[in-house]
């Protein structure tokens, strides 16, 4: 991962604990965003993890939110997300997310599971908010 210097400020595609309504959204994003809109990440699968999900490239679609950082908060936010996500087994990657409101494609940063990260069970819906409850039977 590289620092904020010299990077084009892309929005972030978030799909787990950083989505609106989840605990890391209020902790890290609240008051630092200019826009938030529902989106999907095609070409990815979602797996359960230790309290948060992991996306990996694959033949599926992941539900999430496109978050545009407030211009004065971009560098600080990028650094904070890189640290938090890097410590949890993610790598930042540029992806093409799709806005739900108009189907438009948007280049965005997201955090994908690093190759050595142990993944939990597949979340078949691709939506962290619609994952099976802990202990619920999973369909193959």
């Amino acid at each position: 991962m590289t620092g904020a210097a010299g990077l084009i400020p892309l929005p972030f595609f978030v799909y787990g604990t950083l989505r609106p309504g989840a605990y890391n959204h209020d902790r890290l994003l609240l008051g630092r965003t200019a826009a938030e809109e529902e989106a999907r990440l095609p070409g990815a699968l979602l797996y359960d993890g230790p309290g948060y999900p992991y996306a990996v490239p694959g033949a599926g679609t992941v539900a999430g939110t496109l978050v545009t950082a407030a211009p004065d908060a971009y560098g600080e936010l990028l650094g904070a997300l890189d640290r938090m996500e890097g410590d949890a087994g993610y790598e930042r990657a540029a992806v093409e997310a799709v806005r739900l409101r108009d189907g438009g494609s948007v280049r965005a940063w997201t955090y994908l599971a690093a190759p050595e990260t142990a993944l939990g069970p597949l979340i078949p819906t691709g939506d962290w908010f619609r994952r099976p409850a802990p202990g619920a039977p999973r369909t193959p």
Side-chain angles (χ1 to χ4, degrees):
M1 285 182 251
T2 59
L7 290 179
I8 296 170
L10 299 176
F12 297 92
F13 177 80
V14 298
Y15 54 85
T17 66
L18 289 166
R19 286 173 74 183
Y23 61 90
N24 276 327
H25 178 275
D26 288 354
R27 191 171 74 83
L28 291 169
L29 298 176
L30 194 63
R32 293 177 165 175
T33 66
E36 298 177 356
E37 57 185 317
E38 294 302 304
R40 297 286 181 261
L41 179 60
L45 296 170
L46 195 63
Y47 288 86
D48 217 341
Y52 40 86
Y54 289 107
V56 298
T61 301
V62 173
T65 305
L66 273 172
V67 175
T68 302
D72 61 339
Y74 185 80
E76 178 187 347
L77 184 57
L78 180 64
L81 292 175
D82 277 355
R83 282 186 300 280
M84 181 185 86
E85 302 289 33
D87 289 345
Y90 296 90
E91 294 179 343
R92 180 166 34 95
V95 297
E96 293 295 324
V98 177
R99 287 188 305 255
L100 289 190
R101 69 177 162 88
D102 63 4
S105 181
V106 177
R107 190 107 172 123
W109 292 121
T110 199
Y111 293 87
L112 302 174
E116 67 279 359
T117 301
L119 304 175
L122 176 69
I123 298 172
T125 63
D127 189 335
W128 173 247
F129 289 169
R130 297 184 193 280
R131 69 193 181 280
R138 295 185 182 258
T139 56

